[in-house]
Amino acid sequence: MPVLAPITRPATAKQAAILAFCRASHAETGRLPSSRAIQAKFGHASQTAALFHLWALVRRGLLAYDGNALPKNRFTIKP
C-alpha cells in the first residue's frame, strides 16, 4: 500500500457520520463494523465506497490501519 499524504481539512459530514457509526459499533462489539455493514448502513453502491471513506479517515488521523492484522481488525479507532 502506498503512503498517502495526510488530509488536514476536517472530515466531511458523511465521514463524520461513518466515524460515529464506527465508534458506536466499537463500543458495542469491541471492533469496527465491516465495510459491508458500512455500505448497508449508508446506502453506498459498493463496499469500495465505504473503504474510500475509511481510508480518508485514516488520512485525517481519526482511524489507524495495520496491514499486518487480521482482516477484521485492520482498521482501528485512534484514541
Side-chain angles (χ1 to χ4, degrees):
M1 178 70 197
V3 175
L4 301 173
I7 300 173
T8 57
R9 297 181 311 269
T12 64
K14 175 78 82 163
Q15 291 165 357
I18 290 172
L19 182 60
F21 177 63
C22 289
R23 286 184 172 152
S25 177
H26 186 266
E28 184 179 317
T29 65
R31 62 181 177 193
L32 295 183
S34 66
S35 58
R36 190 168 304 230
I38 295 170
Q39 173 194 3
K41 170 78 174 171
F42 293 95
H44 297 304
S46 68
Q47 285 178 262
T48 304
L51 286 171
F52 281 145
H53 285 296
L54 291 175
W55 278 113
L57 291 169
V58 168
R59 291 177 63 195
R60 284 183 164 86
L62 300 171
L63 292 180
Y65 178 80
D66 180 2
N68 294 322
L70 295 173
K72 289 187 177 184
N73 300 323
R74 289 193 176 161
F75 289 98
T76 56
I77 299 281
K78 282 190 114 173

